[in-house]
Amino acid sequence: MSAERMEIIFETADRFPGQIAFDVSFRNARYIDHANAGTAERLKISADIEKTAEREGYEFIHGRKGVDGEMMPIQRFISAHPHAAADPRPIVDAFRDQGYDVVVRGGYMNGEILSFEDLCSMSRQDHDRATREEAAYAACRAAERAGRDAAAVLRLKAAALAEEAPVTAQFASQDDRNAFRARQARVRERETGLEMPEEEQRAAFAA
């Protein structure tokens, strides 16, 4: 089954200087549309998007007051911490690691947030090269993730086998070994007696 596509639309560097801002489009609807839809499924989608963004250091900003005091709509996730403002790749990787087929749009180009002027000045060759490099980076990350997942499965299997393996007792002497075997024999005798039908148990005790 193919992964569902998610678009992350980054603002250019000149719109929010010193910060990184983006919106998310999933199933042909923006984050805020999912949040406002009112259905359980779409509320879960919006909650998953919001929690992922928060873990990576972003907060959703509905709007800000302009110089005239009027509220200007923003409706973007904006970096709230220095580490988030320094690098856009972790948030892209976070959604990819959740299994989405992430497509990046807007000001993002191969791990960097460019200004509108820089984007417009790129040649077709530069654009294609950056796109190829981003695809190679994403493929490498996916391979690393698959390797980690496979290693985790092997560790779980090894742990399960270890739990199922019989415990080997270490004895200091032959007398200790004989005493342990005698205790095992008594336990087996009790277990066998408990498993016997009640009539046979009475007969055994009577004898």
Side-chain angles (χ1 to χ4, degrees):
M1 184 177 179
S2 60
E4 288 196 84
R5 173 161 293 198
M6 172 182 285
E7 291 187 1
I8 304 180
I9 306 102
F10 284 91
E11 295 291 344
T12 56
D14 36 10
R15 174 145 190 220
F16 298 97
Q19 293 181 296
I20 293 175
F22 67 90
D23 196 2
V24 176
S25 178
F26 181 65
R27 296 181 182 174
N28 297 317
R30 299 294 180 104
Y31 158 79
I32 196 64
D33 297 325
H34 287 295
N36 293 336
T39 66
E41 181 184 17
R42 295 184 70 178
L43 283 174
K44 182 182 183 306
I45 290 171
S46 66
D48 290 344
I49 293 171
E50 184 175 7
K51 291 301 181 184
T52 300
E54 287 178 350
R55 283 196 300 269
E56 296 302 324
Y58 293 82
E59 61 179 344
F60 190 78
I61 304 297
H62 289 272
R64 287 179 179 168
K65 286 186 178 181
V67 293
D68 56 358
E70 292 293 324
M71 184 65 72
M72 301 184 300
I74 294 178
Q75 295 189 347
R76 297 289 186 273
F77 289 100
I78 298 181
S79 54
H81 303 281
H83 72 274
D87 187 1
R89 264 201 168 133
I91 186 63
V92 178
D93 291 338
F95 284 114
R96 282 177 175 154
D97 289 347
Q98 292 176 12
Y100 293 110
D101 175 18
V102 175
V103 176
V104 187
R105 311 235 185 260
Y108 181 100
M109 187 61 65
N110 192 26
E112 297 182 5
I113 301 298
L114 304 182
S115 67
F116 182 76
E117 182 179 353
D118 289 337
L119 286 169
C120 293
S121 65
M122 291 181 71
S123 67
R124 180 67 183 181
Q125 290 77 12
D126 291 339
H127 186 279
D128 290 345
R129 182 174 62 254
T131 301
R132 289 193 301 271
E133 290 174 355
E134 179 68 19
Y137 170 82
C140 182
R141 282 268 312 177
E144 291 175 354
R145 183 170 61 250
R148 290 194 300 270
D149 292 345
V153 170
L154 289 176
R155 286 195 296 271
L156 289 173
K157 288 183 178 180
L161 289 173
E163 289 180 359
E164 295 174 0
V167 177
T168 303
Q170 300 294 324
F171 300 100
S173 67
Q174 185 62 40
D175 290 341
D176 290 342
R177 184 177 292 104
N178 292 338
F180 179 75
R181 288 173 177 170
R183 284 196 298 273
Q184 284 183 313
R186 288 195 295 272
V187 169
R188 282 195 295 270
E189 288 174 359
R190 285 198 298 270
E191 290 175 346
T192 302
L194 291 173
E195 292 173 358
M196 292 170 58
E198 187 175 350
E199 296 79 4
E200 293 184 21
Q201 289 185 40
R202 284 199 296 268
F205 291 137

